[in-house]
Amino acid sequence: MMEWFDVGKIVNTHGIKGEVRVISSTDFPEERYQKGSKLHLFQNGKDPVQLTVSSYRRHKNFDLLTFVGYDNVNLVEPFREALLKVSADQLNELDEDEFYYHEVIGCEVFTEEDVRLGKITEILSPGANDVWVVKPDNGKDILIPYIESVVKEVNIADKKILIHAMEGLLE
């Protein structure tokens, strides 16, 4: 059974020449979307379709892509709301202290005093650094910035993350 990982979601078409607007969920858009890259299109209840990237460019907050053989808006219109994914064998080795989203989501978060805060359910990318959303057993979500002064240890194998709860972080 093949394992798949999200790269982005097609939210609309752009122009009449088959370009699509993608909201990306990858940290490597230049690599994932380079000309010749293979992506797989997932739509509700249908088998995945392999697509080859023909062109890529940034426009406002979107990544704009075209695919080989899909050079008309009418051909890509059905792709709206579909997910773009890569297979596990397309993932790259990361440097130390770098992690894929799917490795971090589901990890348990503890303070340096060994107090369990909850599980990471989502990762936000608002700007300078990622923010990890921690769902406690009860209460509202906790937002943890992925910065060196807060995140002290990430153990992907044990699904455990240790943080320094600096003043004001957990309030």
Side-chain angles (χ1 to χ4, degrees):
M1 173 110 178
M2 182 79 70
E3 194 172 3
W4 298 97
F5 299 97
D6 288 354
V7 172
K9 179 179 182 179
I10 297 175
V11 293
N12 210 341
T13 57
H14 186 84
I16 61 169
K17 297 188 184 230
E19 217 168 18
V20 293
R21 283 186 187 180
V22 176
I23 295 179
S24 292
S25 54
T26 179
D27 283 334
F28 313 105
E30 293 80 15
E31 183 179 314
R32 292 285 174 230
Y33 303 145
Q34 69 184 342
K35 186 174 182 171
S37 290
K38 305 286 187 216
L39 300 174
H40 290 80
L41 181 87
F42 282 74
Q43 292 177 293
N44 289 342
K46 297 181 182 175
D47 288 337
V49 175
Q50 181 174 291
L51 300 171
T52 303
V53 176
S54 178
S55 70
Y56 160 67
R57 66 187 177 107
R58 289 282 303 162
H59 179 67
K60 297 185 180 174
N61 291 332
F62 298 100
D63 290 308
L64 300 181
L65 302 175
T66 59
F67 303 108
V68 173
Y70 296 89
D71 57 359
N72 182 299
V73 67
N74 296 322
L75 297 173
V76 297
E77 180 68 33
F79 294 172
R80 195 183 303 222
E81 300 302 312
L83 295 176
L84 295 171
K85 299 186 180 205
V86 294
S87 61
D89 61 350
Q90 290 176 279
L91 297 180
N92 299 336
E93 288 292 319
L94 298 178
D95 293 336
E96 191 176 330
D97 295 330
E98 290 186 334
F99 312 97
Y100 283 109
Y101 285 7
H102 70 270
E103 293 175 317
V104 173
I105 292 174
C107 286
E108 304 247 351
V109 179
F110 294 85
T111 65
E112 291 170 310
E113 296 77 32
D114 206 35
V115 175
R116 182 184 177 279
L117 298 178
K119 275 190 179 180
I120 296 176
T121 58
E122 184 180 2
I123 298 174
L124 308 174
S125 299
N129 54 271
D130 286 347
V131 176
W132 295 349
V133 179
V134 178
K135 181 68 130 178
D137 293 331
N138 51 43
K140 63 181 184 177
D141 291 350
I142 302 166
L143 302 178
I144 306 293
Y146 181 55
I147 54 176
E148 202 173 300
S149 59
V150 174
V151 178
K152 294 302 180 186
E153 185 180 320
V154 178
N155 185 330
I156 295 299
D158 293 340
K159 301 294 272 177
K160 185 175 179 179
I161 294 172
L162 188 67
I163 69 157
H164 170 68
M166 58 195 332
E167 190 175 335
L169 183 68
L170 303 178
E171 295 172 4

